[in-house]
Amino acid sequence: MTDADTGSAAETSDGADSNGVVHLVGSGPGDPELLTLKARRLIDEADVVLHDKLPGPEIIETIPEGKREDVGKRAGGERTSQEYTNERLVELAREGNQVVRLKGGDPFVFGRGGEEAAHLAEHGVEFRVVPGVTSALAVPALAGIPATHREHASSVSVVTGHEDPTKEESAVDWNALAATGGTIVVLMGVGKLPEYTAALREAGMRGEVPVALVERASRPDERVVTGTLETITRVADREDVEPPAVTVIGEVAGERDRVREFLRR
Ligand code: SAH
C-alpha cells in the first residue's frame, strides 16, 4: 500500500471544541487482511492513530508514520500509563481531530476499550466503537482448532491468564471453568501457564486433556505448540513460547491433529 499524504491534524485543528471524534477500532489478530473494511477506511481517513504493539508490525507499518503515535511504550521502554492514553484521546479530539484508537483484536475484549469509552463519555467526547476480529476465537481457528464442536464442546469460556494484581482473590474461578466441560481460551496466558494448568488439574481436569499454544497467529512467524494439561508447561519452556499467544484447553485442541496436514495458510 502507498503512503499517501493524508493531511495533517493542523488543518482541522482550531484549538477549540470542534468536531473531533474518537474511533475505538479493533485491528484483528495481525494480518492486515483481517482488518474490517471499516477499520481500514477509518485508519486511512484519520488525522491521528494511537496504537500499541498488539496490532502488529504488518498493520502498523501501513499507517503513515506522520500520523501514528505509539502509546504502548515510551522512550526508555516504560509503558505509557492508561491515564496518559485517556487524556491524549480527549486532547486530540478537542483539537478537532479524527482519532483512531487502534487495538489488537476487538477493542472491548481485554483491551481496556471500556475504560477508554467511559473516560471519553465523562469528558463529553463523541466516540464510536468498531468491533474487530477477536483473537479469542480467531487465533484457535487459524490454527485449525474449532472453539466449539458438536462432539466435544458446547461452550467456550474466554479468560485472562494475567489477572489484575490489585484484585485480592483470583478473579477467575478455575474450578467453575473446569466444571463447564467446554473449551477454555486463555488470553495473556504465557507467564502464568504453570499456575492455571495446575489449578485446572486440581479442579479435576484430566492430565491428558489436549492443550495448544498459538503464538502470533496470522502473522508471518505464527507458531503452534501442542501438549496436554500435564505436559504443556514443559513444552512451552522448551519451545520458548512468548506473548502474544493464546492457550486453548479442551478436547477441541486435539481436532487440529485431524486437519493439520491439509490446513493451508
Ligand atoms: N483485544 C484483544 C485481546 C487483548 S489481550 C483481542 O480481542 O484479541 C492480549 C492477548 O491477546 C495476548 O496476550 C494474546 O493472548 C492475545 N493475542 C492477540 N493477538 C494475538 C495473535 N495474533 N496471536 C496470538 N495471540 C494473540
Side-chain angles (χ1 to χ4, degrees):
M1 93 163 272
T2 53
D3 271 16
D5 180 16
T6 51
S8 71
E11 275 172 27
T12 48
S13 167
D14 58 12
D17 153 71
S18 35
N19 296 323
V21 57
V22 175
H23 304 271
L24 300 171
V25 179
S27 71
D31 178 349
E33 289 192 307
L34 291 175
L35 279 166
T36 63
L37 295 174
K38 186 168 267 187
R40 182 73 265 169
R41 177 174 63 76
L42 290 169
I43 291 168
D44 292 341
E45 291 174 2
D47 297 308
V48 193
V49 178
L50 259 67
H51 66 87
D52 43 55
K53 296 276 180 286
L54 196 59
E58 292 78 22
I59 288 175
I60 291 167
E61 280 159 20
T62 67
I63 308 166
E65 230 171 314
K67 69 175 189 184
R68 62 187 200 225
E69 278 184 29
D70 186 348
V71 290
K73 287 262 161 66
R74 266 185 175 164
E78 242 178 78
R79 273 188 83 81
T80 308
S81 69
Q82 185 63 45
E83 290 70 31
Y84 172 83
T85 303
N86 289 350
E87 279 158 28
R88 186 74 183 129
L89 289 172
V90 170
E91 179 178 69
L92 286 165
R94 285 188 176 156
E95 284 169 6
N97 291 293
Q98 298 294 307
V99 184
V100 165
R101 170 68 174 112
L102 190 66
K103 291 170 162 295
D106 182 275
F108 277 13
V109 178
F110 296 122
R112 296 194 167 202
E115 290 167 50
E116 290 173 14
H119 186 85
L120 293 168
E122 262 166 42
H123 290 78
V125 172
E126 205 194 340
F127 71 93
R128 293 193 185 90
V129 182
V130 181
V133 175
T134 182
S135 64
L137 299 174
V139 167
L142 288 160
I145 300 170
T148 65
H149 191 289
R150 208 151 49 87
E151 287 160 29
H152 306 302
S154 305
S155 71
V156 53
S157 308
V158 178
V159 299
T160 171
H162 178 81
E163 295 173 21
D164 184 343
T166 61
K167 291 177 191 156
E168 333 148 31
E169 265 305 313
S170 176
V172 177
D173 185 341
W174 296 98
N175 286 309
L177 286 172
T180 66
T183 307
I184 304 172
V185 173
V186 188
L187 301 194
M188 298 173 283
V190 176
K192 297 228 158 60
L193 184 65
E195 284 84 353
Y196 61 81
T197 48
L200 287 171
R201 293 212 58 199
E202 270 167 42
M205 256 176 115
R206 292 175 306 111
E208 304 81 59
V209 170
V211 180
L213 281 164
V214 189
E215 226 183 353
R216 292 182 302 277
S218 89
R219 302 189 187 162
D221 51 354
E222 165 180 319
R223 187 168 66 142
V224 185
V225 168
T226 56
T228 64
L229 203 51
E230 194 180 348
T231 64
I232 195 69
T233 296
R234 262 177 292 143
V235 179
D237 259 359
R238 189 183 70 215
E239 301 292 332
D240 213 9
V241 173
E242 279 182 15
V246 164
T247 314
V248 191
I249 303 168
E251 295 301 330
V252 290
E255 283 297 301
R256 173 179 160 77
D257 292 332
R258 282 166 64 166
V259 301
R260 60 180 297 185
E261 196 189 334
F262 295 96
L263 182 70
R264 290 284 172 274
R265 294 290 342 281

